[in-house]
Amino acid sequence: MKCQKCEKPATFHITDITGKEGLLELHLCPDCAKHYLQTGEGQQETPKISGVLSTQLKLEQTAEDLKELDGKECPICGISFYEFRQAGRLGCPHDYVFFGEELEPLLINVHSGSQHVGKQPKRGVRDTESQTELIRLRREMKEAVQEENYERAQELRDRIRSIEGEGQSSE
Amino acid sequence: MVIDELHDRCGEWLKGDGPQSDIVMSSRIRLARNLADFPFIRRCNDIDRANIESTVRERLGREGAFTTLNFFNVAKLNSLDRQLLVERQLISRELSNADGARAVAIDSSERLSLMVNEEDHLRIQVMKSGLNLDGAWEQINQLDDDIESRLTYAFHPKFGYLTACPTNAGTGIRVSVLVHLPALAITHQIEKVFRSLQKINLVVRGLYGEGTQAMGDFYQISNQVTLGKTEREIIDQVADVIPYVIDYERKARQYLLDEKQNDLFDRVSRAYGTLQTAQQISSEETMYLLSRVRMGVNLGLIDNLEIPNINQLFLRTQPAHLQKICQQALDTDQRNVERANYLRRQLKRDDTDAQSN
Ligand SMILES: [Zn+2]
Ligand SMILES: [Zn+2]
């Protein structure tokens, strides 16, 4: 493979995730890679995302697979895979589960594995599901209000309050 | 603490003390955290963002370690004040430029900053002068435990702390050491150092001044991997490599002293002379020249200046600081003139006045 900026062979495969362009793949020779990494083309003082990843993202899907995948939407926050791909940002904690299969190869490429081994919250992780549920209910409530379906909004608000109440009492 | 008191103060990362502070400016650790019951920022509406901010503020403000922090409502600050916080590394450019409810809590020593509604709901940052990653970790780990006892973090047993960008998932940790490497730059060895750091998955960035220009031979070395390793392993990976970088820089300085003495003295004294006499000077040139002077002081070539003073000049010649000092809004041309005025005042050749009598 040739360098995208000159004719030399590309040996650096850089995946840069920026806020604006989404996932940007670059194949560069050592000289151009050095220039790219140093001059901060496309970088900001504070990494927009954690920055430049010198590993290759393997999105080996066919066009059709990709189109189908792009349409997949998280039931909790409503983000589509397409939006994530464009923005490089996820929409809610549940996306890690919902898009888990797609994220795994990315995580393995970027990190040293896909299993967390660092510190853990001392409080149990048990209530995460009801917390995620809150995100969905609040979204549905906003939609109900927008559609002027106040009966539904009222119902949703009661469920939100009851989950929030459980959370408080378990603290 | 009010914002207007800040520009007068020193700021932790420029204090110029701590281990290896001739080369290492500061050590910084930040943790990315999100609340479990809100969407990530991208999918938040204004109400969500306001709720996140008030929840954090209320829970942390109740009692304990956080009650002494100064909370700034970043959305209500004018752009000059926001830029001042960016220049002091207390908030990121992203938080400064974002929309909607957002805040930062800062301790009075400016070692701790807690950004709310940046890319993640919470960005906790601890900064120490010199090379002191262990000290930074100890402090931030405790703070994180304390925050976690008050708020439910988004966490998954496999993916760890869940972050808006998957590249931060797992530990959510970013470990950065800010180093000053002028001799490696002069001897054209810096690329070699960069390449070897990149091979072991560390990220090197220039520190930016005004616009996107690299700032005077300062480089930030940080980890890239956040998942699949413990915090300790990630910190050690950065910490282990810094002594080599320091050693390279010292060897390059010694080489310049031994083999290129005239050239080195010339560079340093020209830089010093320009800063003492210029009538207008850009931020970029100031950084470039201050970098040379800083090395000159470290090598004992300039003896009437102290490192903390030079570190201060790096900060106070930045656009927002300069405008605070001059107490008025200045455009680029005016800043260049005022910057030169300020530098001449600070670096006054008092020998001519004092010794002529
Ligand atoms: Zn090339
Ligand atoms: Zn989601």
Side-chain angles (χ1 to χ4, degrees):
Chain A
M1 187 183 283
K2 269 186 196 164
C3 172
Q4 286 171 306
K5 304 211 171 177
C6 70
E7 294 292 290
K8 283 178 270 178
T11 53
F12 277 73
H13 306 284
I14 298 170
T15 304
D16 205 352
I17 308 184
T18 61
K20 289 173 208 93
E21 293 93 347
L23 299 181
L24 175 71
E25 277 193 59
L26 289 166
H27 308 284
L28 303 172
C29 71
D31 289 334
C32 295
K34 188 183 77 190
H35 180 77
Y36 179 85
L37 293 166
Q38 272 171 33
T39 55
E41 261 176 62
Q43 289 180 32
Q44 306 224 348
E45 195 260 299
T46 313
K48 262 284 182 190
I49 71 127
S50 42
V52 181
L53 315 165
S54 312
T55 39
Q56 198 169 8
L57 170 66
K58 287 191 187 108
L59 271 176
E60 286 166 347
Q61 274 87 2
T62 65
E64 274 158 51
D65 286 346
L66 196 60
K67 204 175 162 201
E68 199 189 310
L69 175 59
D70 275 349
K72 220 175 137 184
E73 273 180 19
C74 167
I76 303 289
C77 71
I79 197 172
S80 66
F81 192 76
Y82 177 76
E83 186 184 336
F84 162 63
R85 224 160 47 83
Q86 290 297 306
R89 302 290 185 284
L90 293 164
C92 80
H94 183 66
D95 299 352
Y96 279 90
V97 179
F98 188 71
F99 297 119
E101 228 173 272
E102 291 77 30
L103 283 176
E104 183 122 4
L106 172 72
L107 289 169
I108 290 170
N109 269 296
V110 170
H111 300 290
S112 47
S114 64
Q115 175 60 53
H116 176 60
V117 292
K119 75 182 279 192
Q120 304 207 2
K122 291 194 179 62
R123 283 208 287 188
V125 184
R126 66 199 145 69
D127 51 356
T128 306
E129 247 169 67
S130 60
Q131 303 273 343
T132 311
E133 182 71 2
L134 277 173
I135 300 174
R136 188 176 65 83
L137 293 172
R138 285 203 202 101
R139 182 168 71 102
E140 283 179 12
M141 191 177 85
K142 275 173 245 159
E143 283 166 4
V145 171
Q146 263 162 22
E147 291 158 12
E148 302 185 5
N149 187 347
Y150 298 111
E151 203 175 320
R152 170 102 180 116
Q154 178 72 41
E155 216 177 276
L156 286 161
R157 198 184 61 180
D158 291 346
R159 281 174 62 194
I160 292 169
R161 289 208 171 144
S162 88
I163 294 178
E164 282 175 342
E166 283 167 31
Q168 290 290 329
S169 58
S170 68
E171 272 175 31
Chain B
M1 183 164 82
V2 293
I3 294 260
D4 272 334
E5 288 171 12
L6 280 177
H7 70 272
D8 253 0
R9 304 200 204 182
C10 169
E12 175 71 11
W13 64 288
L14 291 165
K15 246 164 65 190
D17 60 11
Q20 315 281 5
S21 56
D22 55 333
I23 291 169
V24 181
M25 298 286 284
S26 65
S27 307
R28 181 153 62 139
I29 298 184
R30 77 112 170 92
L31 297 175
R33 298 288 188 257
N34 287 278
L35 308 189
D37 53 346
F38 286 95
F40 294 144
I41 294 295
R42 183 175 179 82
R43 282 264 144 185
C44 279
N45 62 15
D46 292 347
I47 301 166
D48 291 327
R49 293 178 67 119
N51 279 337
I52 293 166
E53 202 215 310
S54 60
T55 305
V56 170
R57 211 167 167 150
E58 194 265 319
R59 299 282 174 87
L60 298 192
R62 271 181 198 167
E63 68 204 340
F66 300 97
T67 51
T68 56
L69 296 185
N70 301 278
F71 242 93
F72 293 111
N73 182 342
V74 176
K76 293 230 170 92
L77 295 178
N78 64 38
S79 66
L80 185 63
D81 285 342
R82 297 202 306 271
Q83 204 186 339
L84 188 87
L85 295 176
V86 172
E87 288 172 6
R88 299 183 79 78
Q89 302 201 345
L90 293 170
I91 65 172
S92 63
R93 214 161 269 179
E94 179 163 13
L95 188 78
S96 171
N97 297 339
D99 296 311
R102 58 203 196 279
V104 64
I106 301 163
D107 76 329
S108 54
S109 68
E110 297 182 53
R111 284 187 195 108
L112 161 67
S113 105
L114 200 138
M115 286 187 273
V116 185
N117 290 342
E118 210 246 23
E119 181 184 304
D120 294 295
H121 299 154
L122 284 177
R123 286 284 177 97
I124 316 161
Q125 171 186 288
V126 166
M127 201 154 36
K128 299 279 181 190
S129 199
L131 183 58
N132 186 5
L133 286 172
D134 286 342
W137 170 242
E138 196 182 324
Q139 188 181 350
I140 203 167
N141 190 26
Q142 263 178 26
L143 287 165
D144 183 48
D145 288 347
D146 192 346
I147 297 172
E148 187 244 305
S149 71
R150 301 159 188 248
L151 295 161
T152 307
Y153 283 153
F155 183 88
H156 185 279
K158 180 173 167 63
F159 301 115
Y161 294 93
L162 304 178
T163 51
C165 185
T167 55
N168 295 319
T171 55
I173 198 171
R174 185 81 52 219
V175 178
S176 311
V177 177
L178 182 64
V179 286
H180 185 221
L181 307 174
L184 285 174
I186 291 172
T187 56
H188 304 291
Q189 297 181 87
I190 199 116
E191 291 83 6
K192 205 172 69 188
V193 177
F194 282 6
R195 268 200 301 276
S196 43
L197 290 175
Q198 276 150 17
K199 266 184 217 146
I200 55 169
N201 280 331
L202 294 179
V203 180
V204 185
R205 280 165 202 286
L207 181 70
Y208 297 109
E210 202 160 4
T212 56
Q213 286 136 355
M215 174 169 148
D217 305 318
F218 288 110
Y219 299 96
Q220 200 155 278
I221 300 172
S222 26
N223 65 302
Q224 171 193 299
V225 169
T226 58
L227 177 65
K229 286 185 177 182
T230 63
E231 288 84 357
R232 192 68 256 171
E233 287 168 332
I234 293 167
I235 293 164
D236 286 346
Q237 201 203 353
V238 177
D240 289 350
V241 89
I242 299 297
Y244 291 100
V245 176
I246 293 173
D247 193 46
Y248 273 129
E249 171 64 19
R250 285 204 209 290
K251 284 199 174 114
R253 290 181 185 189
Q254 196 56 47
Y255 165 81
L256 290 173
L257 274 177
D258 294 344
E259 308 288 333
K260 306 271 176 194
Q261 207 181 86
N262 290 340
D263 186 45
L264 176 68
F265 284 17
D266 183 64
R267 279 175 198 261
V268 170
S269 42
R270 274 171 191 268
Y272 195 24
T274 304
L275 290 169
Q276 284 177 316
T277 55
Q279 298 297 311
Q280 50 181 359
I281 191 164
S282 69
S283 172
E284 187 195 18
E285 189 181 2
T286 304
M287 297 298 140
Y288 174 78
L289 297 173
L290 280 174
S291 170
R292 297 281 148 90
V293 170
R294 191 178 188 277
M295 179 176 62
V297 173
N298 277 329
L299 293 176
L301 306 178
I302 297 173
D303 52 15
N304 57 347
L305 266 179
E306 304 283 339
I307 287 296
N309 301 116
I310 301 176
N311 290 355
Q312 290 294 344
L313 294 180
F314 276 109
L315 187 61
R316 290 187 185 157
T317 53
Q318 297 284 306
H321 277 78
L322 199 63
Q323 292 175 75
K324 286 284 181 186
I325 290 166
C326 296
Q327 297 182 319
Q328 56 175 312
L330 303 166
D331 65 25
T332 308
D333 289 344
Q334 292 168 323
R335 284 205 295 274
N336 291 346
V337 171
E338 288 301 334
R339 185 177 291 115
N341 289 344
Y342 180 73
L343 285 164
R344 285 202 314 278
R345 280 202 306 276
Q346 297 297 313
L347 300 172
K348 197 163 46 188
R349 299 198 214 184
D350 44 11
D351 49 343
T352 46
D353 294 304
Q355 284 166 14
S356 55
N357 288 339

